[in-house]
Amino acid sequence: MSSRPELQAPPEIFYDDTEARKYTSSSRIVEIQAKLSERAVELLALPDDGVPRLLLDIGCGSGLSGETLTENGHQWIGLDISQSMLDIALEREVEGDLILGDMGQGLGLRPGVIDGAISISAIQWLCNADKSSHEPRLRLKAFFGSLYKCLARGARAAFQVYPENLAQRELILSYAMRAGFAGGVVVDFPHSTKKRKEYIVLTCGPPSISTAVPKGKGEEGESCSDDESSGDEENQTVSISDRHRPRKKQKTNKKGKGREWILRKKEQMRRKGNTVPPDTKYTGRKRKARF
Amino acid sequence: MRLLTHNMLSSNIKGVTNGFPLRIEAEKVVEKQVEINHDFLRNIFPKIEWKAFVDASRILGYAELPEEAPEPSVLESDHEFLGKFHHALLELHIEEGALVCPETGRKFPINKGIPNMLLHEDEV
Ligand SMILES: C[S@@+](CC[C@H](N)C(=O)[O-])C[C@H]1O[C@@H](n2cnc3c(N)ncnc32)[C@H](O)[C@@H]1O
């Protein structure tokens, strides 16, 4: 069985009282969500003028991500489908306003009023059909359409996501583009199966220089081989861990692992007594694109 | 929920063409002090639908705001006005009550300060 929360139950069922409490009392999760949120705020690229903005936190849960917005001085409105998660947010006395709502039904907000939106570990839920009436494509369309409307022109959205596979990421992205957004995916630490994190960064309005997708962190030179864990391990709940599921993530990296990583792997293989081709100046070299 | 959020929310029911402003039914209102930030107030001011904001503040029992939206220049210097704007926007919370869709009359209940905006299947 997969340990992806998205495949276990609808979000409002999965994030029940027990899960909500467990989620927020794990110091590991608190720390990870804070880091992801901090990066999302950075990707919003708000003007550096110290003026507090009005931001959205979509799938705000117990307010871990929202707290980062508060720490950065901003006002925020958080939307979540799980009453249990929102109850914990109340308990924690978060400063944002909370709304019980389903992003897949579209956001009921006036046009052009929001200065930016973040979402941490939530958007991939839209790809599921949790009820017979759910059609993921319609829900993605309603979500991105309404998001585009309520954002001020030039405002950005930065969504950290755990897509299940490439197709899911493409699906999410294609609906964002259809709604009128410019942007793409930023991958931090693409060479690390453990630290790798994906952000969908979108700008509201026609493409321009400012809508170019920023670079990911650790794109160059970073080489890791965390043999133990796979990329979206952190998308699991504290109690559930399943180390036996196939690791397919590693293959999806177009840029390759880099020379250092290859050399290290080859050395490991040699020590195990395997026959490995000798290291030369060609090892792990960049290849020209062939047409 | 504060009036800041009320001023941004609109009814999202399928077929509704003008879901703003949601009518407020307030059963319990609480005040929580927050630090004033003039920059935020100046930044948000042009986005506020003034009439809806003033009406909402009166329903919550606060009658200090001017009927007509002031000139933006007032925000530069008039600290008394900034204080009132701040109070109504960020310090009054609707704890219990409901928001009502102006077109259909559908009620969205507010519990513990959280409006339930979930739509029924036939409203999507
Ligand atoms: C992994 S939690 C992250 C919570 C929070 N952003 C954080 O960083 O701690 C994902 C959240 O997304 C919410 N969620 C899932 N599907 C949703 C939907 N359709 N509409 C609104 N929230 C949703 C869940 O209820 C859950 O609280």
Side-chain angles (χ1 to χ4, degrees), chain A residues 158-178:
Chain A
F159 300 157
Q160 182 271 327
V161 286
Y162 290 115
E164 200 180 338
N165 48 42
L166 222 64
Q168 218 175 58
R169 178 218 273 179
E170 290 306 313
L171 183 71
I172 297 174
L173 213 54
S174 70
Y175 276 89
M177 299 300 140
R178 241 182 255 194

Side-chain angles (χ1 to χ4, degrees), chain A residues 11 15 23 33 59-61 64-65 80-81 101-103 120-122 125:
Chain A
Y15 291 105
Y23 186 87
Q33 299 313 107
C60 64
L64 298 180
S65 39
D80 204 281
I81 199 172
D102 176 356
M103 59 176 151
I120 309 298
S121 323
W125 281 97

Side-chain angles (χ1 to χ4, degrees), chain A residues 55-76:
Chain A
L55 306 179
L56 276 188
D57 184 359
I58 297 152
C60 64
S62 53
L64 298 180
S65 39
E67 258 157 39
T68 302
L69 300 179
T70 300
E71 279 162 20
N72 281 273
H74 300 296
Q75 294 286 345
W76 55 277

Side-chain angles (χ1 to χ4, degrees), chain A residues 175-224:
Chain A
Y175 276 89
M177 299 300 140
R178 241 182 255 194
F181 283 106
V185 178
V186 174
V187 183
D188 283 355
F189 308 110
H191 307 301
S192 161
T193 44
K194 195 172 185 180
K195 279 166 79 189
R196 184 181 201 283
K197 288 287 177 292
E198 281 187 29
Y199 298 80
I200 294 181
V201 182
L202 306 169
T203 307
C204 194
S208 71
I209 293 176
S210 69
T211 64
V213 181
K215 274 192 101 148
K217 286 190 179 168
E219 266 190 12
E220 250 107 271
E222 196 85 15
S223 58
C224 299

Side-chain angles (χ1 to χ4, degrees), chain A residues 97-111:
Chain A
D97 274 349
L98 305 170
I99 295 173
L100 179 62
D102 176 356
M103 59 176 151
Q105 297 181 335
L107 311 168
L109 292 164
R110 281 202 290 123

Side-chain angles (χ1 to χ4, degrees), chain B residues 73-105:
Chain B
S73 61
V74 169
L75 283 108
E76 295 308 317
S77 52
D78 188 340
H79 284 230
E80 197 190 327
F81 172 76
L82 282 168
K84 290 174 181 170
F85 181 33
H86 167 78
H87 179 68
L89 193 69
L90 300 171
E91 295 188 324
L92 300 176
H93 296 247
I94 310 168
E95 276 294 293
E96 301 292 332
L99 299 174
V100 185
C101 170
E103 260 185 47
T104 63

Side-chain angles (χ1 to χ4, degrees), chain A residues 272-284:
Chain A
K272 284 188 190 162
N274 295 349
T275 337
V276 180
D279 301 333
T280 67
K281 65 173 179 179
Y282 298 114
T283 307

